[in-house]
Amino acid sequence: MQNALDRLTHLLGKLPGLGPRSARRVVLHLLKKKESLFLPLIEAMHDTAAMVKTCSHCGNLSVMDPCEICTDARRDGAVLCVVEDVADLWALERSHVFRGRYHVLGGTLSALDGIRPEDLRLASLLQRVACENVQEVILALGATLEGQTTAHYIAEKLQAEGIAITRLAHGLPVGGELDYMDDGTLKAAFQARK
Ligand SMILES: [Zn+2]
């Protein structure tokens, strides 16, 4: 069996933003802070892995299914914001710019990576629009080629529904993802949607 220390370092090195060198630094830091950080972190990771699931309605991650956003009666069910990933939903929630509901696609269409409509949460989106009295769909997808292709595809599919289909105002960084935008920029892009 692999040395426990090497195994932990190897696994941490697979995390986004961490390479082998920073993984070693993290491991050392954790070992030095065993009681105050390492053990609580293990517990938090264990609980999160055991309890957090994907909302079967919108695709959000939550300990509840349906999630707290889907079940919150104060949110405006007539406006549905379509995002690529849960990180985008979290970014929008942090900015407090939106009080409707979400639909997480789980990716974008991509001929290059072989991601087809049936690989995304698209059928359930169309079904929600048809059944939930949705008046506006906001396509809050990235300014990447894939994001725009996906937005175009959805807009076409929803054309016959007779609802407003809006997109975030441009000025989004090209190839930028929502999660990397600061709250002020996000708010402005959201409010100036068209
Ligand atoms: Zn939900």
Side-chain angles (χ1 to χ4, degrees):
M1 198 193 123
Q2 213 178 357
N3 173 324
L5 203 55
D6 288 345
R7 185 165 165 242
L8 178 60
T9 311
H10 175 73
L11 288 172
L12 285 172
K14 293 176 177 243
L15 295 177
L18 290 189
R21 187 194 297 259
S22 29
R24 281 195 295 274
R25 277 175 45 209
V26 168
V27 169
L28 191 59
H29 186 76
L30 288 171
L31 290 170
K32 284 179 183 166
K33 306 254 177 200
K34 191 170 168 184
E35 298 298 328
S36 64
L37 185 62
F38 201 4
L39 297 178
L41 180 67
I42 291 169
E43 203 185 330
M45 288 183 113
H46 182 268
D47 289 353
T48 305
M51 295 188 312
V52 174
K53 42 196 169 275
T54 300
C55 172
S56 56
H57 200 62
C58 74
N60 188 16
L61 288 170
S62 170
V63 293
M64 305 193 328
D65 183 19
C67 72
E68 47 279 89
I69 295 177
C70 286
T71 50
D72 185 348
R74 292 164 302 176
R75 298 192 75 117
D76 184 2
V79 191
L80 198 58
C81 180
V82 177
V83 292
E84 179 180 336
D85 193 81
V86 176
D88 303 321
L89 185 160
W90 288 349
L92 286 167
E93 283 298 287
R94 273 200 310 274
S95 71
H96 301 287
V97 68
F98 182 60
R99 294 302 297 163
R101 298 222 167 92
Y102 295 94
H103 194 83
V104 182
L105 291 177
T108 45
L109 296 174
S110 168
L112 207 62
D113 299 323
I115 301 175
R116 301 155 303 166
E118 53 269 39
D119 298 319
L120 303 176
R121 228 173 261 109
L122 276 168
S124 55
L125 169 64
L126 302 182
Q127 197 182 2
R128 285 184 73 183
V129 171
C131 303
E132 289 181 22
N133 199 22
V134 173
Q135 302 298 312
E136 180 185 356
V137 170
I138 303 168
L139 300 171
L141 299 170
T144 57
L145 176 63
E146 290 82 8
Q148 294 311 300
T149 305
T150 309
H152 193 77
Y153 179 89
I154 295 172
E156 216 156 64
K157 287 278 174 194
L158 292 177
Q159 211 170 25
E161 295 288 338
I163 56 169
I165 299 164
T166 55
R167 299 186 194 203
L168 295 196
H170 278 282
L172 299 195
V174 173
E177 296 169 46
L178 271 183
D179 192 37
Y180 292 104
M181 292 173 68
D182 67 86
D183 289 356
T185 314
L186 192 51
K187 217 172 236 177
F190 210 86
Q191 278 156 354
R193 66 184 187 264
K194 51 204 168 190

